[in-house]
């Protein structure tokens, strides 16, 4: 599906490259021979994918900056002169959004505005992919997966900020970057939504997999607050071939592919938090214990699934790793890290395995 020749030597720019998904995306692109530059906040304190893989030394440029700083962001983008831009920089945590809504909206909404304004002044850019979240859909708590034509919205600050970012994308798509009748020189612009991603190298707070790893490694029980909440779980690598193939199509025909896209897991991998926790514990082995202590103080949607049939029909993308395979590869990565193994080699191996399957 992915055209490796397209990416060989191609200039790519990633906002949020010091984060979890941004780091994996950069690693995948590097493995394909792309020249990758990044713009992001400094890596979090403590362990993280960026630090563990020494990713900064492998990039063409790694600029530490805030997407709320429009002038610095624009300078970094123009200096990199990319043809493809992936916008992942965001405040990604639901609980932090509750406690810091102003920061969340400024980062997720105005950060997107700043990035797209910079793109308007960077003539090298041919395609922009803005990564949002499965939580952009107005959740009706039904059993039907959400498709791209469903209504966007959010009932808490995180999902509301990401839905608002999608409205920004739609406005720039129609007003500036892909207006009808402009002809050649247009910039392809798409919003993309994956499921609840996990994988090696994530140590963020208040996420089920990092919480499990910290607990199991320290010999403490993992405490679950919402074990019945159902999420579309998928390995962080699984949607990325779809992103890359979409970028290729946006460059070739921006008018035909500039829209919203789901890249979620199959429906039977939309399982309760408690099920994922038990799979993680089983894969980890000795020292893994799971307990349930419900916490209803923070509102979270209980049922969520994505319909990715459009990506299958038009891009040929389908998920490759089921939940059990994703858990196994995730635990393998963390075990390698804690045993002081070569996590960069393992990262590249997992990327190659996924690309071969795709």
């Amino acid at each position: 599906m992915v055209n490796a020749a397209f990416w060989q030597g191609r200039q790519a720019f990633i906002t949020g490259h010091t984060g979890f998904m941004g780091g994996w995306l950069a690693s995948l692109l590097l493995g394909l021979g792309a020249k990758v530059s990044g713009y992001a906040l400094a890596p979090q304190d403590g362990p993280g994918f960026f630090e563990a893989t020494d990713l900064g030394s492998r990039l063409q440029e790694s600029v530490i900056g805030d997407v709320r700083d429009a002038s610095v962001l624009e300078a970094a983008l123009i200096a990199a002169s990319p043809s493809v831009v992936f916008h992942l920089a965001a405040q990604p945590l639901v609980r932090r959004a509750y406690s810091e809504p102003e920061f969340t909206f400024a980062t997720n909404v105005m950060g997107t505005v700043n990035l797209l304004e910079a793109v308007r002044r960077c003539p090298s850019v041919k395609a922009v992919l803005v990564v949002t979240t499965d939580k952009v859909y107005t959740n009706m708590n039904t059993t039907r997966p959400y498709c791209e034509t469903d209504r966007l919205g959010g009932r808490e600050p995180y999902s509301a900020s990401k839905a608002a970012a999608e409205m920004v994308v739609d406005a720039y798509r129609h007003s500036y970057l892909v207006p009808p009748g402009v002809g050649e020189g247009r910039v392809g612009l798409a919003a993309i939504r994956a499921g609840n991603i996990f994988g090696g190298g994530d140590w963020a707070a208040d996420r089920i997999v990092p919480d499990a790893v910290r607990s199991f490694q320290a010999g403490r029980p993992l405490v679950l607050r919402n074990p019945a909440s159902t999420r579309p779980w998928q390995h962080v690598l699984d949607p990325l071939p779809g992103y890359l193939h979409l970028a290729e199509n946006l460059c070739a025909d921006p008018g035909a592919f500039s829209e919203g896209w789901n890249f979620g897991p199959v429906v039977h991998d939309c399982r309760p938090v408690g099920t994922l926790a038990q799979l993680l514990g089983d894969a980890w082995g000795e020292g893994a214990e799971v307990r349930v202590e419900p916490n209803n103080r923070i509102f979270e949607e209980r049922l969520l699934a994505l319909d990715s049939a459009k990506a299958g029909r038009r891009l040929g993308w389908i998920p490759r790793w089921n939940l059990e395979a994703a858990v196994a590869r995730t635990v393998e990565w963390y075990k390698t890290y804690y045993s002081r193994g070569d996590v960069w080699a393992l990262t590249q191996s997992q990327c190659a395995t996924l690309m071969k399957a795709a």
Side-chain angles (χ1 to χ4, degrees):
M1 178 177 69
V2 174
N3 180 4
F6 175 91
W7 295 101
Q8 184 67 43
R10 185 167 295 272
Q11 300 280 355
F13 186 86
I14 301 173
T15 69
H17 70 290
T18 61
F20 171 53
M21 186 180 230
W24 275 97
L25 175 59
S27 300
L28 182 61
L29 287 169
L30 290 170
L32 291 171
K35 297 178 180 179
V36 183
S37 298
Y39 180 93
L41 296 175
Q44 64 182 18
D45 293 335
F49 183 90
F50 188 81
E51 165 268 334
T53 59
D54 192 25
L55 184 60
S57 69
R58 307 178 193 278
L59 302 179
Q60 182 167 288
E61 191 70 38
S62 176
V63 178
I64 301 302
D66 194 319
V67 291
R68 295 175 298 169
D69 192 331
S71 60
V72 177
L73 173 59
E74 180 180 330
L77 181 70
I78 292 173
S81 190
S83 63
V84 179
V85 176
F86 297 92
H87 180 47
L88 285 78
Q91 194 299 94
L93 302 176
V94 173
R95 289 171 68 86
R96 185 179 181 186
Y98 267 98
S99 61
E100 300 179 55
E102 183 177 2
F103 170 72
T104 299
F105 279 99
T107 300
N108 295 352
V109 183
M110 287 309 301
T112 302
V113 171
N114 292 341
L115 183 277
L116 295 178
E117 280 293 299
V119 165
R120 293 178 65 196
R121 290 184 279 272
C122 186
S124 64
V125 177
K126 302 302 179 187
V128 182
L129 293 88
V130 177
V131 179
T132 59
T133 174
D134 55 316
K135 298 177 180 64
V136 295
Y137 294 110
T138 299
N139 197 320
M140 306 305 294
N141 283 309
T142 68
T143 58
R144 181 181 66 81
Y146 294 91
C147 66
E148 290 86 348
T149 56
D150 283 321
R151 185 161 61 95
L152 304 182
R155 293 186 290 179
E156 39 75 25
Y158 172 70
S159 59
S161 72
K162 296 300 256 182
E166 291 241 8
M167 295 180 71
V168 168
V169 169
D170 196 52
Y172 272 77
R173 177 190 298 127
H174 289 94
S175 299
Y176 306 114
L177 300 181
V178 204
V182 172
E184 293 186 8
R186 295 180 297 173
V187 177
L189 174 59
I192 48 183
R193 309 133 188 163
N196 274 48
I197 58 167
F198 65 92
D202 185 9
W203 277 276
D206 295 321
R207 282 183 179 160
I208 178 63
V209 174
D211 285 349
V213 168
R214 280 187 288 265
S215 297
F216 297 162
Q217 179 65 17
R220 301 190 307 266
L222 169 65
V223 178
L224 302 180
R225 66 177 186 271
N226 289 312
S229 295
T230 300
R231 296 289 181 265
W233 308 109
Q234 67 186 143
H235 193 278
V236 62
L237 275 175
D238 213 26
L240 298 189
Y243 294 6
L244 300 190
H245 191 47
L246 176 58
E248 296 164 14
N249 282 277
L250 286 168
C251 288
D253 191 349
F257 292 90
S258 293
E259 52 196 79
W261 297 83
N262 290 345
F263 293 95
V266 294
V267 173
H268 67 252
D269 277 337
C270 299
R271 303 192 220 175
V273 171
T275 299
L276 175 61
Q278 192 58 57
L279 287 172
L280 287 165
D282 292 344
W284 190 273
E286 185 178 356
E289 180 186 355
V290 178
R291 294 180 184 173
V292 176
E293 292 182 9
N295 178 358
N296 296 319
R297 290 176 297 171
I298 299 296
F299 173 79
E300 287 188 81
E301 303 287 3
R302 294 181 62 81
L303 179 64
L304 190 60
L306 292 175
D307 180 345
S308 303
K310 185 174 82 169
R313 289 193 311 271
R314 296 180 56 191
L315 298 173
W317 176 86
I318 59 173
R320 299 292 176 174
W321 289 348
N322 64 20
L323 186 58
E324 287 76 10
V327 167
R329 287 178 169 87
T330 298
V331 170
E332 177 189 25
W333 198 99
Y334 284 110
K335 292 274 192 178
T336 300
Y337 172 84
Y338 284 116
S339 65
R340 300 185 181 276
D342 189 340
V343 292
W344 176 251
L346 178 60
T347 296
Q348 287 299 303
S349 174
Q350 291 189 349
C351 287
T353 299
L354 190 279
M355 290 299 293
K356 183 177 180 180

